[in-house]
Amino acid sequence: MEMFFDPKSIVVIGASNAPFNLGATICTMLKDYLQYTGDVYALNLKGEAVNGYPGYSSILDIPKTPDLAVIIVAARNVPGIIKDCAVKGIKRIIIETAGFSEGGEDGKAMQQEIDNIARVNGIRIMGPNCLGTLSTRKKFCCFYGVNPSLVEMSQIFEVPGNISYIIQSGGVAVLVMESLYYDVVGVNKVVSIGNKCDVDEADLIDYFQKDETEVIGIYLENVANGRKLMDAAKKSRKPILIYKVGKTPEGAMAAMSHTAGMANNDSIFDSACKQAGIIRLQSIDELHSLPKIFTEMPLLKGKRIAMFTNSGAFGSIAADLLVEAGLQMVHLSSQTQEKLKKAGKAFNIKNPVDIGPAPPQTYLDIFEILLAADEVDGLLPLLSVWQPFVIDTLLELMKICKRYDKPAAIYTANAIAKSIAIRAKHRIPIFETSEQAVRALSVSHAYYESLLKRNFISAPASSAASGLENNIGAWAEAAS
Amino acid sequence: MEMFFDPKSIVVIGASNAPFNLGATICTMLKDYLQYTGDVYALNLKGEAVNGYPGYSSILDIPKTPDLAVIIVAARNVPGIIKDCAVKGIKRIIIETAGFSEGGEDGKAMQQEIDNIARVNGIRIMGPNCLGTLSTRKKFCCFYGVNPSLVEMSQIFEVPGNISYIIQSGGVAVLVMESLYYDVVGVNKVVSIGNKCDVDEADLIDYFQKDETEVIGIYLENVANGRKLMDAAKKSRKPILIYKVGKTPEGAMAAMSHTAGMANNDSIFDSACKQAGIIRLQSIDELHSLPKIFTEMPLLKGKRIAMFTNSGAFGSIAADLLVEAGLQMVHLSSQTQEKLKKAGKAFNIKNPVDIGPAPPQTYLDIFEILLAADEVDGLLPLLSVWQPFVIDTLLELMKICKRYDKPAAIYTANAIAKSIAIRAKHRIPIFETSEQAVRALSVSHAYYESLLKRNFISAPASSAASGLENNIGAWAEAAS
């Protein structure tokens, strides 16, 4: 699989100097944006060089056997090209061309022919109808049509991260990468698998177990081999987040015209995900917004959440959201409330803790008191950045979370544009809405529970029990 | 009511030169940010001038009777001050001080005393525990603590708009205004009503019928007089959007500590809203994100939606969302499909219409064909801004929508930060997520239906019927 992401040589089949040629955009990106150090060959009818890369009119003429062939020519020419690739001994092929299974009976027949040649010759194929692969660390990308005006696309290579994506749609892949440019987590690898005639999401989940990947994000329009996917997911030691379209017949129908999948029964898929420990996403934006709760914060090991706000309403709003998400508003113990009272400036020392105008030290004291409390499993700070110092306290909060091994899902109660700007500048894992922050806590805990269920970790029996006692005690006290 | 928003003279009771004095922040804002042209008096123990405004130690010493008194002193001093105001003949008072009904038995007793003095003397009171009023057109605002670093807050006065807000929380008011600064719609008036011992949301709904307001946004933590609210809403000829906390007992409890409301039965509230034509919001962000569908676009008069995307996946995703929202994926007639085929560049001429790389004219042709089609009630464009020209086509789309009297809820499939920047710069009503765009169509149609139900408008009987026929015809055709 590595050769799909880190080839030492590549032939772009269909790259030419014709206007609007898509293969040429791949050559331009490799040379001008990525300074790719491998060998690149262009294949076209005239055998002409493209952007300084040598050109050939037949694969057989290329002086050596490329590690990878990327095909972007009319669909009808693809089977013949695959035959040539087989003769040349090429073992990895990405077919970016569309018009196969998703394009009617002729397309299906061609697909069958390709599958046969590949199987006989031990060739692994990615696509068709895809964008192929991208690796930030290897500075490799064979996406076609990437536009120089999409500044964000080229900049994600500058700060490689640890999220890898498997995305059955080029458009969604571009959206996710563009969005991460404004976030604190970076991309490791992205793969657009299209109609996935051979390499599929399960193969890639296996592959991402062995590299720098920390979180796997997946966008699916259909599942061809459900058992294979679930088996791969069950073995995964890295969180898998999946958004799948086709919850309604209309959505499934639209997906079918796009990437040729069969409509899958959504509720069956849903329960299979739960069994396999897959986190099912509720919106496409969660693909880029949620991974940071895993990479930047400890896992949420219980359901008891303390909230802390400097603007009372947000506590009320988030209390609704927390409970609807299946988490618990922790009842703070009398000891904790006593400490909060001493910290001063609090309107409310019960959960949600609510303060008025207060200096930075009060924020830090409250973070510390809440995260140190036995009855608290995680923190939901809902803090308006009404003064720049609030940003400094949030930077400190990230350290306090690590110290207590408990997460905080940070929401800054400000205009989204402003929250995003603060996040990008200060590298703080800020969520854009209180809904998103609550959801992050919820998926963090769901993943923790799936690790327990799969026996990948064991519960600290004593602490879980005592946590429960504490909470019962606090309830009793609150009720008295 | 007008005197709360456009007083010709005001006394700020509690404004002094002490450090961190909150009343002084009101004086600073009126003078330095707003260049308020009315008379301002400061009231404090020393009778000292504040920021150049004359100071007095007793209300009775003020040379004339101010239109409005704004009180921001310790709660225990408020009843005495109200008495002085009554003697002076002041008829409008805003109590910004907290610590009344939300602060225990003592607070409740003081509240009772205040209510009595006000009733006997014909004084209208806003608050307590609030920020008071803001009017962009009158350049008046008596919110305390507004920070000069909140650039957005002062800039909303520069471009008055037509959305008015009734918000039972200062923090939410600030968030909404800050957010609108990055959006295409502007603020007319904002009022933070706090514990609403006298003036409440129903009074303000009535008041907003007579001014420039086009849409009314409301944030509630409790409803004290449900019948009054619903009666006011039923008469409203302007859309009313309400977010109410307290869906869960935990949320209701948190709200109670904040603004002293009783927990209301949420499902009863929900059905009352439906009857009164109130649109109930699903998230706090909808307060600022949804009004633009009313101010910038015609109402959605039917449920049949055409989608148009330049990146197939977004059509599949939004198809799920549309159907889940109770709208319909329109089956395009054969005539419409024929026209789309002629426009060229389409991967899919059925709904969702999906195009590959295409020039601006193709976008414009498709907008026109879809909005002109009898079977289409509204448009959901899901367009990645992969080239700057897409922005120009969206500007043109706004005109086409007006021409056909049908709305488009525009989603640009780009990073949210980028979509917001495009929206702010080009004044295009762009929604930040596909969920938000679908929701906008949904609330637009819900409001149209409530106008019909309340007999404020009548349905164009023939067109509705023929629309239905067309759709049935198209279904039959698609199924054959």
Side-chain angles (χ1 to χ4, degrees), chain A residues 444-460:
Chain A
S444 176
H445 188 252
Y447 181 64
Y448 174 76
E449 290 210 314
S450 92
L451 288 178
L452 282 181
K453 208 173 92 186
R454 290 181 285 157
N455 293 316
F456 286 175
I457 56 170
S458 53

Side-chain angles (χ1 to χ4, degrees), chain A residues 396-455:
Chain A
E396 207 55 40
L397 170 61
M398 292 167 68
K399 295 178 204 158
I400 304 175
C401 285
K402 290 208 170 54
R403 186 144 38 85
Y404 288 103
D405 195 28
K406 296 176 183 178
I410 302 168
Y411 166 63
T412 45
N414 291 90
I416 288 176
K418 202 167 167 174
S419 295
I420 292 176
I422 293 170
R423 180 174 73 195
K425 184 171 174 196
H426 299 277
R427 317 303 299 166
I428 298 169
I430 292 172
F431 293 93
E432 291 158 23
T433 63
S434 45
E435 285 84 358
Q436 215 179 64
V438 168
R439 179 78 175 130
L441 290 173
S442 174
V443 300
S444 176
H445 188 252
Y447 181 64
Y448 174 76
E449 290 210 314
S450 92
L451 288 178
L452 282 181
K453 208 173 92 186
R454 290 181 285 157
N455 293 316

Side-chain angles (χ1 to χ4, degrees), chain A residues 178 246 248 283 285 311 320 415 433, chain B residues 171 178 246 248 285 320 415 433 435:
Chain A
E178 196 179 281
T248 65
S283 76
D285 286 314
S311 184
D320 276 342
T433 63
Chain B
E178 196 180 282
T248 64
D285 287 315
D320 276 342
T433 62
E435 284 84 358

Side-chain angles (χ1 to χ4, degrees), chain A residues 254-286:
Chain A
M256 214 153 99
S257 75
H258 184 227
T259 46
M262 280 301 294
N264 301 109
N265 182 314
D266 193 74
S267 64
I268 293 175
F269 179 73
D270 207 56
S271 56
C273 283
K274 283 202 184 89
Q275 278 188 22
I278 291 172
I279 293 158
R280 191 143 180 217
L281 302 181
Q282 294 170 351
S283 76
I284 195 79
D285 286 314
E286 292 188 347

Side-chain angles (χ1 to χ4, degrees), chain A residues 147 152 169 171 175 178 219 245-248 250-251 255 258 283 285 311 313 316-317 320 387 414-415 418 433 435, chain B residues 147 152 169 171 175 178 219 245-248 251 255 258 283 285 311 313 316-317 320 323 387 414-415 418 433 435:
Chain A
N147 197 296
E152 302 90 346
S169 152
L175 173 64
E178 196 179 281
Y219 168 83
V245 292
K247 285 187 277 184
T248 65
E250 287 82 352
H258 184 227
S283 76
D285 286 314
S311 184
S316 315
I317 295 165
D320 276 342
Q387 292 275 19
N414 291 90
K418 202 167 167 174
T433 63
E435 285 84 358
Chain B
N147 196 298
E152 303 90 346
S169 152
L175 173 64
E178 196 180 282
Y219 167 83
V245 291
K247 284 186 278 183
T248 64
H258 184 228
S283 77
D285 287 315
S311 184
S316 316
I317 294 165
D320 276 342
V323 174
Q387 293 275 17
N414 292 89
K418 200 166 170 176
T433 62
E435 284 84 358

